[in-house]
Amino acid sequence: QKMKKVVIKTLNDNFIEAIGKEWMLIASGNRDHFNVMTASWGCVGWLWNKPVAVIFVRPERFTHDFIEDNAVVTLSFLGKDPDMRSIYNLCGSKSGRECDKIKETGLMPVDTECGSVTFKQARLTLECEKLYKDNIKPECFLNPEISKWYGGSHGGYHDVYILEIKNVYVSQ
């Protein structure tokens, strides 16, 4: 299937459903050197008079290094097909430091307009440019229950990236 660039205002996705239930792949880097990870937390909205996405990535994740080194990040939604779920599961549980996720999943990288990468399997891709970064600080939790998502098997505190959505691609 081919990707078609569309105007963002034509999107009708419910991003609470898309991110929380379908999940997404976060990728950064270029076709020759990139990494990809699964995320099921994030936001899409409007900030600073721009369409934005907000992603949360723990610094220990291999993809974090790529996000730090590149201006562009893609968020790719693969749909709910069981084959896509197995791709999400692998990209969320294995590190690109230890395996070739592209080879193991059969993901087919596609170059984006800004020089990043998405995947032929994606039904929707948001190509984004980094605008802002901060980190989750435990002393800022207004509800102490949130701390249950950190430490032990969960991992460290997320870095938060606010990204401007520059291009939107949908499968045809």
Side-chain angles (χ1 to χ4, degrees), residues 5-168:
K5 190 172 164 183
V6 298
V7 179
I8 194 166
K9 68 182 178 188
T10 63
L11 285 183
N12 291 317
D13 277 72
N14 173 342
F15 283 101
I16 291 174
E17 184 77 15
I19 296 169
K21 299 280 190 287
E22 177 184 336
W23 302 349
M24 63 183 168
L25 294 178
I26 298 174
S28 193
N30 62 44
R31 182 82 167 269
D32 298 325
H33 186 63
F34 70 92
N35 199 58
V36 59
M37 64 175 270
T38 299
S40 61
W41 290 356
C43 312
V44 172
W46 188 253
L47 181 65
W48 303 318
N49 279 341
K50 298 174 184 298
V52 298
V54 184
I55 58 170
F56 303 83
V57 181
R58 296 181 201 270
E60 59 267 28
R61 296 295 299 257
F62 189 43
T63 302
H64 185 275
D65 298 343
F66 288 82
I67 295 170
E68 285 293 297
D69 292 344
N70 294 280
V72 178
V73 178
T74 61
L75 310 179
S76 300
F77 297 85
L78 306 180
K80 294 182 178 177
D81 182 276
D83 291 342
M84 299 304 111
R85 180 57 64 190
S86 66
I87 292 172
Y88 283 131
N89 287 338
L90 187 137
C91 291
S93 63
K94 293 194 175 184
S95 172
R97 290 184 186 99
E98 286 127 33
C99 79
D100 182 342
K101 293 182 186 183
I102 302 311
K103 193 178 285 179
E104 288 197 32
T105 60
L107 279 168
M108 292 176 269
V110 176
D111 295 317
T112 60
E113 195 174 289
C114 297
S116 193
V117 67
T118 183
F119 307 97
K120 192 171 182 181
Q121 292 94 329
R123 67 169 187 83
L124 168 67
T125 299
L126 307 178
E127 182 175 32
C128 307
E129 191 174 281
K130 294 185 302 187
L131 294 175
Y132 179 86
K133 174 194 171 189
D134 202 352
N135 60 309
I136 298 286
K137 300 170 189 72
E139 63 271 17
C140 294
F141 291 158
L142 300 177
N143 179 336
E145 187 183 300
I146 296 167
S147 63
K148 74 180 181 185
W149 296 105
Y150 298 96
S153 64
H154 289 295
Y157 295 98
H158 291 94
D159 279 343
V160 180
Y161 296 91
I162 300 174
L163 314 168
E164 179 180 2
I165 301 169
K166 300 297 258 184
N167 293 306
V168 177

